[in-house]
Amino acid sequence: MVHVEIGVDGVPAAVALEPWLVRGIARHAGHLQCADPSAEEIGVRVRRQVSGALAALLVGMGAVVLSAGATAAQEGPRGPRFTAGAPGAGDAYFPFAGNGGYDVQHYDLDITYTPPAPAPAPLVGRLSGVATIDLVATQDLDRFNLDLRGLEVQAISVNRKRATEVAPPAPGAEVEGAAYWHVQDDAARSWELTIQPRPKIKKGQTARVVVTYGGDTTRPTDIEGVLYGWVTMRDGAMVVSEPEGSMTWYPVSDHQTDKATYGFEITVPEGKVAVANGLPARDPVTEDGWTTWFWDAPDLQASYLTTASVGDYELRFSETDGGLPIIDAVDDNLTMANAATTEASLALQAEMIAFLEDAFVPYPFNSAGAIVDDDTVGYALETQTRSVYSRVASEGTVVHEIAHQWFGNAVSPERWQDIWLNEGWATYAEWLWSEDSGRDSAQALFESILDIPADDEFWDLAIADPGPFGLFLGGIYDRGAATLHALRVKIGDEAFFAASQEWLERYDDSTATTEDFEEVFEEFSGQDLGAFFDVWLRTPSKPTSW
Ligand SMILES: [Zn+2]
């Protein structure tokens, strides 16, 4: 993700900020003016700030006990055998994101979307969908959850057996037969659809879950009040879901530890273009004023990297010298200046991919490209194979989002606290590209970060555990990149790039932690880097020696 200008209707440019408490440690994340060496290129990053009420709420959430585990279990001689899957994937920052007890293999999303009527009609769209979810049980499952926010369920079946909607039962209460219930608790930021399949699902068994759902689409926000998820726009929708906004548009185990493949059938009014991840599965079909767009994303993908954006796009097809398809969807209505900047940047995509392949490993997915909307959510996001850009795609942002295809998408952060592994690398790729293009060298950009005075709030962030409100602070990006550069200087280019390649190969199509990262770099350098990493990643002050 890269923040850009903000100023879309209804989005506050700044709200009040309160300290956020993580594991009892107060981390002041105040008015951080991000020191960004390439600010001119990538635009001014938003000051993302949070209300005190939200912070208090999240502290409360952290205290919620995630142990639906034994409810309604069948007691055997050795205790319950079939139990409920957990309502969260175990991420401390977002306790209800993702779910336990199963592993999704594939999502097939059949979505029909009607954008809002022209102004002054409300900015509300209409979505109806059928999600077909193939999963494998990882425990003997009595019940399991999906995440679904702001939309209503009309019907659910598991292995073709229809479940009945019931009122949410009291904790521990039995429920008769195949059933489901949906709890949408905005105050607790908990959106859980619980499904009780009958027969129960044995560990290792596959199940096909079909959820028919829909409702009005609005403009959901994340814990910081920033637009994400299915963001309704007058001419369509921008769909950007980091960190857990996919649940605003389909039922999902919304955490990157459960990657899956995707297929899409998106039906929109004739004239609109719907763009998702991967490649077109077939030509669009138009009938009775509606066009259905078919996309196939066969590479494993984290839920937050899914998109199905809808707009007045022109689709452009090209490819790299190596034959990798590039598909760009560029809004017809960009301003002249933004269109010119965007054209120039997107024309460099093949060269950027070749540059990063030379530095690291081959491009990890079946296609590449961009979605450039004339609307804005305030940032760009590295949606897999097809990054989404707000209003303009500038050169620095494009190389940043392309670098994420390796760093973040192929190798994803195991926990949200590991986000610096995404943003540090993507920012460092901007530095490498800058140097390769004859502009500032990585060393010069590193030095510009070290020029930030020690008493600047920039240094107050321990980037290996920034707290859920610190995910997109400047330090995650620039201190992250500086950490990588300092590491490269310390262990030398040969060990640094060899370890980088190993990192990308070992954890390809998977997730990894900061500790995993440290292990790979210690292995390849033969050095004990404990003190180095403590200074750069875990100490909330400016590094002075390492
Ligand atoms: Zn980023």
Side-chain angles (χ1 to χ4, degrees):
M1 179 190 280
V2 164
H3 297 161
V4 294
E5 90 298 336
I6 203 159
V8 76
D9 357 343
V11 180
V15 278
L17 180 80
E18 293 295 323
W20 161 246
L21 295 174
V22 186
R23 296 178 192 166
I25 302 165
R27 295 175 193 282
H28 183 64
H31 289 254
L32 188 134
Q33 183 65 59
C34 150
D36 179 6
S38 49
E40 261 183 30
E41 271 189 10
I42 65 175
V44 179
R45 286 179 186 143
V46 180
R47 301 176 183 191
R48 302 187 73 162
Q49 295 158 5
V50 209
S51 77
L54 264 176
L57 178 155
L58 260 284
V59 170
M61 265 177 60
V64 171
V65 180
L66 292 180
S67 66
T71 52
Q74 207 170 51
E75 293 286 338
R78 288 182 300 277
R81 180 178 156 207
F82 285 88
T83 53
D91 196 304
Y93 287 10
F94 301 95
F96 294 108
N99 300 285
Y102 62 88
D103 176 12
V104 177
Q105 310 294 297
H106 183 76
Y107 294 92
D108 196 75
L109 304 178
D110 182 347
I111 287 170
T112 299
Y113 177 62
T114 311
L123 205 48
V124 173
R126 184 87 198 160
L127 183 154
S128 61
V130 178
T132 303
I133 303 168
D134 292 320
L135 56 81
V136 178
T138 55
Q139 68 186 54
D140 287 336
L141 271 182
D142 176 66
R143 302 171 176 174
F144 61 94
N145 283 18
L146 291 164
D147 306 312
L148 182 65
R149 170 180 172 186
L151 298 170
E152 302 297 328
V153 174
Q154 278 94 46
I156 293 182
S157 70
V158 179
N159 293 333
R160 310 182 76 138
K161 174 102 185 272
R162 187 82 181 252
T164 309
E165 183 175 16
V166 299
E174 295 279 338
V175 173
E176 275 297 300
Y180 72 87
W181 55 95
H182 193 188
V183 176
Q184 306 214 44
D185 187 342
D186 291 355
R189 292 189 71 84
S190 168
W191 299 279
E192 297 293 331
L193 173 62
T194 302
I195 299 167
Q196 176 174 289
R198 291 293 178 269
K200 299 174 184 183
I201 306 171
K202 288 198 186 88
K203 180 178 177 177
Q205 254 180 5
T206 59
R208 172 163 287 186
V209 182
V210 180
V211 181
T212 306
Y213 67 101
D216 288 343
T217 67
T218 56
R219 294 161 69 82
T221 51
D222 68 10
I223 55 169
E224 299 189 57
V226 173
L227 288 171
Y228 81 156
W230 188 281
V231 181
T232 305
M233 297 294 181
R234 188 64 66 187
D235 64 354
M238 287 178 76
V239 183
V240 282
S241 299
E242 191 179 24
E244 28 69 282
S246 279
M247 65 175 85
T248 67
W249 62 284
Y250 63 98
V252 56
S253 186
D254 205 353
H255 196 266
Q256 59 275 18
T257 44
D258 192 356
K259 294 187 179 185
T261 57
Y262 284 82
F264 306 86
E265 278 188 47
I266 310 155
T267 302
V268 291
E270 185 176 353
K272 296 290 174 191
V273 177
V275 187
N277 313 91
L279 290 168
R282 49 181 283 201
D283 289 339
V285 174
T286 298
E287 213 172 36
D288 299 330
W290 294 86
T291 301
T292 302
W293 297 83
F294 303 87
W295 295 88
D296 184 26
D299 297 308
L300 284 176
Q301 178 167 300
S303 54
Y304 77 93
L305 299 169
T306 317
T307 192
S309 291
V310 177
D312 300 318
Y313 305 127
E314 186 197 334
L315 284 176
R316 303 170 189 176
F317 298 82
S318 60
E319 59 179 40
T320 64
D321 287 345
L324 178 76
I326 298 179
I327 302 174
D328 298 326
V330 180
D331 201 299
D332 290 342
N333 302 307
L334 302 187
T335 66
M336 292 270 280
N338 283 345
T341 302
T342 296
E343 295 294 337
S345 309
L346 296 186
L348 294 170
Q349 288 180 108
E351 203 181 313
M352 290 168 174
I353 289 167
F355 171 71
L356 293 167
E357 285 187 327
D358 274 352
F360 300 108
V361 299
Y363 183 81
F365 304 123
N366 76 346
S367 57
I371 299 168
V372 188
D373 206 288
D374 65 331
D375 290 303
T376 178
V377 292
Y379 55 87
L381 185 69
E382 63 271 21
T383 34
Q384 192 153 304
T385 66
R386 196 139 303 115
S387 302
V388 172
Y389 300 87
S390 290
R391 287 188 180 147
V392 64
S394 59
E395 185 178 328
T397 307
V398 172
V399 76
H400 178 109
E401 307 307 347
I402 288 178
H404 271 310
Q405 304 303 320
W406 287 264
F407 299 102
N409 298 8
V411 181
S412 304
E414 174 112 353
R415 310 157 298 199
W416 282 110
Q417 74 171 73
D418 301 311
I419 185 79
W420 82 273
L421 289 167
N422 283 18
E423 303 306 345
W425 273 115
T427 305
Y428 196 53
E430 291 179 58
W431 294 11
L432 297 175
W433 177 255
S434 167
E435 178 170 317
D436 189 68
S437 317
R439 285 169 277 200
D440 287 345
S441 67
Q443 177 64 24
L445 292 164
F446 174 72
E447 284 164 13
S448 74
I449 298 301
L450 284 188
D451 284 344
I452 301 172
D455 62 358
D456 193 293
E457 288 174 320
F458 173 83
W459 297 112
D460 294 350
L461 193 68
I463 60 174
D465 192 5
F469 294 105
L471 292 185
F472 304 111
L473 290 175
I476 296 294
Y477 294 74
D478 294 328
R479 184 173 177 154
T483 300
L484 292 168
H485 188 76
L487 178 60
R488 176 181 166 191
V489 171
K490 186 171 180 71
I491 67 176
D493 276 13
E494 199 181 325
F496 178 82
F497 285 103
S500 307
Q501 289 161 15
E502 173 66 14
W503 167 254
L504 291 167
E505 280 161 5
R506 192 179 293 181
Y507 297 106
D508 184 33
D509 280 341
S510 182
T511 59
T513 64
T514 299
E515 292 75 20
D516 294 329
F517 173 85
E518 294 173 42
E519 198 176 295
V520 169
F521 280 77
E522 289 198 326
E523 206 176 300
F524 275 72
S525 66
Q527 296 182 34
D528 176 355
L529 298 169
F532 174 92
F533 287 123
D534 281 347
V535 163
W536 277 98
L537 300 175
R538 300 193 175 83
T539 309
S541 59
K542 183 175 177 177
T544 49
S545 63
W546 54 85

